[in-house]
Amino acid sequence: MPEYYLTRTEKALFATHARAMSNRAGRGRVLVELGSGAGDKVGLLLPHLAPAAYVAVDISRAALEHATAALAVDRPDLPVFALCDDFSAGLALPREIPDASRLYFYPGSSIGNFSPDAALALLAPLARRGDSLLIGVDLLKDREALERAYDDAVGVTAAFNLNLLARMNRELGADFDLRRFRHVAAFNEEDGRMEMHLESAIEQRVGIGSRSFRFGAGERLHTESSYKYTEVRFAALARRAGWELVETWTDERRWFAEMLFEARPGSVHS
Protein backbone atom coordinates (compact mmCIF):
# COMPACT_ATOMS: atom_id res chain seq x y z
CA MET A 1 0.00 0.00 0.00
CA PRO A 2 1.26 3.54 -0.72
CA GLU A 3 0.88 4.45 2.95
CA TYR A 4 2.93 1.49 4.20
CA TYR A 5 6.44 2.89 3.88
CA LEU A 6 8.27 0.24 5.93
CA THR A 7 8.95 -2.50 3.37
CA ARG A 8 9.95 -0.30 0.44
CA THR A 9 12.09 1.96 2.63
CA GLU A 10 14.00 -0.98 4.05
CA LYS A 11 14.47 -2.60 0.64
CA ALA A 12 15.84 0.69 -0.69
CA LEU A 13 18.35 0.71 2.17
CA PHE A 14 19.56 -2.76 1.21
CA ALA A 15 19.69 -1.85 -2.48
CA THR A 16 21.90 1.14 -1.65
CA HIS A 17 23.99 -0.10 1.26
CA ALA A 18 24.13 -3.93 1.03
CA ARG A 19 27.83 -3.94 0.12
CA ALA A 20 28.71 -1.54 2.95
CA MET A 21 26.63 -3.54 5.44
CA SER A 22 28.30 -6.78 4.36
CA ASN A 23 31.80 -5.33 4.48
CA ARG A 24 31.19 -3.92 7.94
CA ALA A 25 29.64 -7.14 9.24
CA GLY A 26 32.46 -9.31 7.88
CA ARG A 27 32.64 -12.24 5.49
CA GLY A 28 32.71 -15.95 6.27
CA ARG A 29 30.17 -15.91 9.11
CA VAL A 30 27.21 -18.20 9.64
CA LEU A 31 24.25 -16.05 8.59
CA VAL A 32 21.15 -16.70 10.71
CA GLU A 33 17.99 -14.98 9.49
CA LEU A 34 15.24 -14.65 12.09
CA GLY A 35 11.75 -14.65 10.54
CA SER A 36 13.10 -15.34 7.07
CA GLY A 37 9.73 -15.37 5.26
CA ALA A 38 10.23 -15.23 1.50
CA GLY A 39 13.95 -14.56 1.92
CA ASP A 40 13.93 -11.66 -0.53
CA LYS A 41 15.91 -9.23 1.66
CA VAL A 42 18.71 -11.62 2.46
CA GLY A 43 19.14 -12.13 -1.28
CA LEU A 44 20.41 -8.56 -1.50
CA LEU A 45 23.14 -9.27 1.09
CA LEU A 46 24.34 -12.70 0.00
CA PRO A 47 26.33 -11.66 -3.09
CA HIS A 48 28.53 -9.44 -0.88
CA LEU A 49 28.55 -11.42 2.37
CA ALA A 50 29.95 -14.84 1.32
CA PRO A 51 28.71 -16.60 4.47
CA ALA A 52 30.02 -19.95 5.66
CA ALA A 53 26.39 -21.13 5.87
CA TYR A 54 22.86 -19.74 5.88
CA VAL A 55 20.25 -20.70 8.48
CA ALA A 56 16.68 -19.57 7.79
CA VAL A 57 14.41 -19.52 10.85
CA ASP A 58 10.66 -19.09 10.50
CA ILE A 59 7.47 -20.34 12.09
CA SER A 60 5.83 -20.95 8.69
CA ARG A 61 7.04 -24.28 7.35
CA ALA A 62 5.63 -23.68 3.86
CA ALA A 63 7.38 -20.30 3.45
CA LEU A 64 10.58 -21.72 4.91
CA GLU A 65 10.71 -24.72 2.59
CA HIS A 66 9.93 -22.63 -0.48
CA ALA A 67 12.55 -19.97 0.26
CA THR A 68 15.37 -22.35 1.20
CA ALA A 69 14.69 -24.68 -1.74
CA ALA A 70 14.94 -21.76 -4.16
CA LEU A 71 18.14 -20.52 -2.51
CA ALA A 72 19.72 -23.98 -2.60
CA VAL A 73 19.19 -24.04 -6.37
CA ASP A 74 20.55 -20.50 -6.86
CA ARG A 75 23.53 -21.02 -4.53
CA PRO A 76 24.58 -24.68 -4.70
CA ASP A 77 27.91 -23.77 -3.08
CA LEU A 78 26.23 -22.43 0.06
CA PRO A 79 25.23 -24.78 2.92
CA VAL A 80 21.57 -23.93 3.59
CA PHE A 81 19.65 -24.95 6.71
CA ALA A 82 15.93 -24.55 7.43
CA LEU A 83 14.75 -24.29 11.03
CA CYS A 84 10.99 -24.20 11.60
CA ASP A 85 10.73 -22.72 15.06
CA ASP A 86 9.24 -19.97 17.19
CA PHE A 87 12.51 -18.23 18.03
CA SER A 88 10.78 -15.90 20.50
CA ALA A 89 10.81 -18.85 22.92
CA GLY A 90 14.57 -19.39 22.47
CA LEU A 91 16.79 -20.44 19.60
CA ALA A 92 18.61 -23.76 19.27
CA LEU A 93 20.54 -23.86 15.99
CA PRO A 94 21.21 -27.10 14.10
CA ARG A 95 24.32 -28.90 15.33
CA GLU A 96 25.49 -29.36 11.76
CA ILE A 97 26.21 -25.68 11.14
CA PRO A 98 29.89 -24.72 10.79
CA ASP A 99 31.76 -23.58 13.88
CA ALA A 100 32.11 -19.92 12.92
CA SER A 101 31.00 -16.59 14.30
CA ARG A 102 27.36 -15.75 13.59
CA LEU A 103 25.66 -12.80 12.00
CA TYR A 104 22.03 -12.64 13.12
CA PHE A 105 19.88 -10.94 10.52
CA TYR A 106 16.48 -9.67 11.68
CA PRO A 107 14.98 -7.31 9.07
CA GLY A 108 11.46 -5.94 8.75
CA SER A 109 11.19 -4.12 12.10
CA SER A 110 9.46 -7.16 13.60
CA ILE A 111 11.38 -6.43 16.79
CA GLY A 112 8.77 -3.69 17.29
CA ASN A 113 6.08 -6.32 17.83
CA PHE A 114 7.77 -7.20 21.12
CA SER A 115 7.48 -5.01 24.19
CA PRO A 116 10.87 -3.52 25.21
CA ASP A 117 11.19 -6.12 27.99
CA ALA A 118 10.35 -8.94 25.59
CA ALA A 119 12.76 -7.54 22.99
CA LEU A 120 15.47 -7.53 25.64
CA ALA A 121 14.69 -11.14 26.53
CA LEU A 122 14.83 -12.10 22.83
CA LEU A 123 18.14 -10.38 22.01
CA ALA A 124 20.12 -11.05 25.19
CA PRO A 125 20.63 -14.83 24.77
CA LEU A 126 22.00 -14.26 21.26
CA ALA A 127 24.84 -11.99 22.45
CA ARG A 128 27.75 -14.42 22.23
CA ARG A 129 31.31 -13.09 22.00
CA GLY A 130 32.34 -12.59 18.36
CA ASP A 131 28.80 -12.56 16.97
CA SER A 132 26.99 -9.67 15.28
CA LEU A 133 23.40 -8.55 14.77
CA LEU A 134 21.98 -6.64 11.78
CA ILE A 135 18.44 -5.56 12.63
CA GLY A 136 15.74 -3.42 11.02
CA VAL A 137 14.17 -0.79 13.28
CA ASP A 138 11.19 1.42 12.45
CA LEU A 139 12.00 4.88 13.75
CA LEU A 140 9.75 7.25 15.62
CA LYS A 141 8.05 9.79 13.36
CA ASP A 142 4.96 11.98 13.19
CA ARG A 143 1.65 10.48 14.26
CA GLU A 144 -0.07 11.09 10.91
CA ALA A 145 2.47 9.07 8.90
CA LEU A 146 2.33 6.22 11.41
CA GLU A 147 -1.44 6.01 11.58
CA ARG A 148 -1.80 6.14 7.78
CA ALA A 149 0.62 3.24 7.47
CA TYR A 150 -1.58 1.07 9.69
CA ASP A 151 -4.93 2.24 8.30
CA ASP A 152 -4.55 2.44 4.52
CA ALA A 153 -7.29 4.00 2.41
CA VAL A 154 -8.06 0.78 0.51
CA GLY A 155 -8.60 -1.16 3.73
CA VAL A 156 -6.01 -3.92 3.32
CA THR A 157 -4.73 -3.57 6.90
CA ALA A 158 -8.31 -3.48 8.19
CA ALA A 159 -9.05 -6.77 6.40
CA PHE A 160 -5.83 -8.23 7.81
CA ASN A 161 -6.90 -7.29 11.32
CA LEU A 162 -10.50 -8.49 10.94
CA ASN A 163 -9.19 -11.80 9.62
CA LEU A 164 -8.34 -12.66 13.24
CA LEU A 165 -12.07 -12.89 13.91
CA ALA A 166 -12.64 -14.92 10.76
CA ARG A 167 -9.98 -17.39 11.90
CA MET A 168 -11.57 -17.63 15.35
CA ASN A 169 -14.88 -18.44 13.68
CA ARG A 170 -13.26 -21.06 11.49
CA GLU A 171 -10.84 -22.63 13.96
CA LEU A 172 -12.36 -22.06 17.41
CA GLY A 173 -16.07 -22.32 16.68
CA ALA A 174 -16.73 -18.62 17.38
CA ASP A 175 -19.63 -16.66 15.90
CA PHE A 176 -18.18 -13.17 15.39
CA ASP A 177 -20.08 -11.03 12.89
CA LEU A 178 -17.22 -9.16 11.21
CA ARG A 179 -19.63 -6.41 10.11
CA ARG A 180 -20.12 -5.50 13.77
CA PHE A 181 -16.46 -4.70 14.38
CA ARG A 182 -14.23 -2.05 12.88
CA HIS A 183 -10.47 -1.71 12.55
CA VAL A 184 -8.85 1.03 14.65
CA ALA A 185 -5.18 2.05 14.37
CA ALA A 186 -3.86 4.62 16.83
CA PHE A 187 -0.47 5.80 18.02
CA ASN A 188 0.04 5.46 21.76
CA GLU A 189 2.40 8.35 22.44
CA GLU A 190 2.99 7.47 26.09
CA ASP A 191 4.25 3.96 25.26
CA GLY A 192 5.78 4.89 21.89
CA ARG A 193 3.89 2.29 19.90
CA MET A 194 1.31 1.88 17.18
CA GLU A 195 -1.68 -0.14 18.32
CA MET A 196 -4.25 -2.04 16.30
CA HIS A 197 -7.65 -2.71 17.79
CA LEU A 198 -10.97 -4.20 16.75
CA GLU A 199 -13.81 -2.07 18.08
CA SER A 200 -17.32 -3.32 18.66
CA ALA A 201 -19.80 -1.16 16.75
CA ILE A 202 -22.72 -2.13 19.01
CA GLU A 203 -23.45 -3.86 22.29
CA GLN A 204 -23.37 -7.56 21.51
CA ARG A 205 -22.59 -11.05 22.72
CA VAL A 206 -20.19 -13.41 20.96
CA GLY A 207 -19.88 -17.13 21.50
CA ILE A 208 -16.55 -18.96 21.38
CA GLY A 209 -17.12 -22.66 21.78
CA SER A 210 -19.20 -23.09 24.95
CA ARG A 211 -18.37 -19.63 26.34
CA SER A 212 -20.12 -16.30 25.80
CA PHE A 213 -18.53 -12.83 25.89
CA ARG A 214 -20.27 -9.48 26.09
CA PHE A 215 -18.93 -6.47 24.19
CA GLY A 216 -20.13 -2.97 24.91
CA ALA A 217 -20.46 -0.46 22.07
CA GLY A 218 -17.00 1.01 21.54
CA GLU A 219 -15.24 -1.74 23.50
CA ARG A 220 -12.00 -2.83 21.87
CA LEU A 221 -9.89 -5.93 21.40
CA HIS A 222 -6.18 -5.00 21.35
CA THR A 223 -4.75 -7.16 18.56
CA GLU A 224 -1.24 -5.87 17.86
CA SER A 225 1.42 -3.44 19.02
CA SER A 226 4.38 -2.12 17.05
CA TYR A 227 6.94 -0.16 19.07
CA LYS A 228 8.81 2.69 17.39
CA TYR A 229 12.25 3.80 18.52
CA THR A 230 14.74 6.58 18.15
CA GLU A 231 18.19 5.34 17.16
CA VAL A 232 19.52 6.32 20.59
CA ARG A 233 16.74 4.53 22.46
CA PHE A 234 17.08 1.29 20.52
CA ALA A 235 20.87 1.32 20.85
CA ALA A 236 20.42 1.69 24.61
CA LEU A 237 18.00 -1.26 24.72
CA ALA A 238 20.38 -3.40 22.65
CA ARG A 239 23.28 -2.46 24.93
CA ARG A 240 21.32 -3.75 27.91
CA ALA A 241 21.00 -7.03 25.99
CA GLY A 242 24.78 -7.21 25.48
CA TRP A 243 25.08 -5.59 22.04
CA GLU A 244 27.26 -2.59 21.14
CA LEU A 245 26.28 -0.38 18.18
CA VAL A 246 28.75 -0.48 15.27
CA GLU A 247 26.99 1.44 12.51
CA THR A 248 23.56 2.65 11.38
CA TRP A 249 22.15 3.12 7.88
CA THR A 250 19.01 5.24 7.42
CA ASP A 251 16.98 6.78 4.61
CA GLU A 252 16.94 10.52 3.89
CA ARG A 253 13.87 11.10 6.08
CA ARG A 254 15.32 8.96 8.89
CA TRP A 255 12.13 6.93 8.97
CA PHE A 256 13.78 3.51 9.08
CA ALA A 257 17.17 2.17 10.16
CA GLU A 258 19.31 -0.90 9.68
CA MET A 259 21.52 -1.12 12.75
CA LEU A 260 24.62 -3.31 13.08
CA PHE A 261 25.71 -4.46 16.54
CA GLU A 262 28.50 -6.60 17.94
CA ALA A 263 28.29 -8.65 21.12
CA ARG A 264 30.03 -6.64 23.83
CA PRO A 265 33.22 -8.08 25.32
CA GLY A 266 32.54 -9.03 28.89
CA SER A 267 28.82 -9.53 28.26
CA VAL A 268 27.30 -12.06 30.62
CA HIS A 269 26.10 -13.89 27.52
CA SER A 270 29.55 -14.12 25.89
Side-chain angles (χ1 to χ4, degrees):
M1 294 297 99
E3 300 92 338
Y4 195 76
Y5 60 85
L6 289 88
T7 304
R8 65 174 175 272
T9 304
E10 185 180 39
K11 283 187 175 180
L13 284 175
F14 287 125
T16 304
H17 301 293
R19 183 183 295 276
M21 293 175 186
S22 300
N23 289 343
R24 200 74 172 92
R27 298 164 66 88
R29 294 173 176 263
V30 172
L31 178 61
V32 181
E33 184 174 11
L34 305 175
S36 55
D40 51 346
K41 294 170 185 172
V42 76
L44 298 171
L45 287 177
L46 283 174
H48 311 292
L49 201 55
Y54 170 63
V55 184
V57 187
D58 202 281
I59 200 169
S60 169
R61 186 174 298 277
L64 190 64
E65 291 177 348
H66 182 269
T68 52
L71 183 60
V73 171
D74 292 341
R75 296 289 302 270
D77 58 320
L78 176 67
V80 175
F81 299 86
L83 179 60
C84 186
D85 197 12
D86 176 8
F87 58 85
S88 67
L91 183 64
L93 295 179
R95 296 185 179 213
E96 301 89 342
I97 68 171
D99 184 18
S101 61
R102 300 166 186 170
L103 170 61
Y104 292 100
F105 179 49
Y106 194 18
S109 79
S110 296
I111 192 67
N113 294 130
F114 296 87
S115 70
D117 286 345
L120 186 67
L122 173 70
L123 297 177
L126 304 179
R128 188 188 69 163
R129 186 186 298 275
D131 291 348
S132 297
L133 168 70
L134 180 61
I135 188 167
V137 180
D138 193 23
L139 300 178
L140 196 62
K141 57 189 66 66
D142 67 273
R143 174 189 294 270
E144 184 181 358
L146 285 169
E147 292 185 348
R148 282 202 314 266
Y150 289 82
D151 192 13
D152 57 273
V154 178
V156 170
T157 310
F160 171 81
N161 200 11
L162 284 161
N163 187 55
L164 290 169
L165 304 185
R167 286 194 61 189
M168 291 172 74
N169 288 348
R170 185 171 66 248
E171 299 173 27
L172 301 179
D175 59 1
F176 284 97
D177 184 340
L178 275 61
R179 297 168 298 180
R180 294 181 173 181
F181 287 85
R182 72 180 188 95
H183 167 71
V184 176
F187 181 61
N188 181 330
E189 190 167 356
E190 181 178 353
D191 292 329
R193 69 190 186 194
M194 275 299 302
E195 295 179 358
M196 296 208 311
H197 298 258
L198 292 171
E199 183 178 276
S200 178
I202 60 171
E203 185 171 331
Q204 58 181 308
R205 282 195 172 274
V206 175
I208 303 179
S210 61
R211 301 185 64 184
S212 178
F213 298 87
R214 176 190 171 277
F215 289 89
E219 188 172 357
R220 294 178 177 180
L221 288 166
H222 185 170
T223 56
E224 183 178 335
S225 293
S226 182
Y227 286 81
K228 310 302 175 184
Y229 292 92
T230 64
E231 295 169 51
V232 170
R233 185 175 166 221
F234 189 81
L237 183 149
R239 197 171 199 283
R240 289 175 57 206
W243 296 98
E244 194 73 46
L245 181 63
V246 174
E247 192 163 344
T248 300
W249 295 268
T250 65
D251 58 289
E252 292 181 356
R253 296 183 294 186
R254 304 190 82 85
W255 276 18
F256 198 95
E258 291 298 321
M259 304 180 73
L260 178 65
F261 296 88
E262 289 182 353
R264 287 193 293 122
S267 166
V268 294
H269 303 285
S270 298

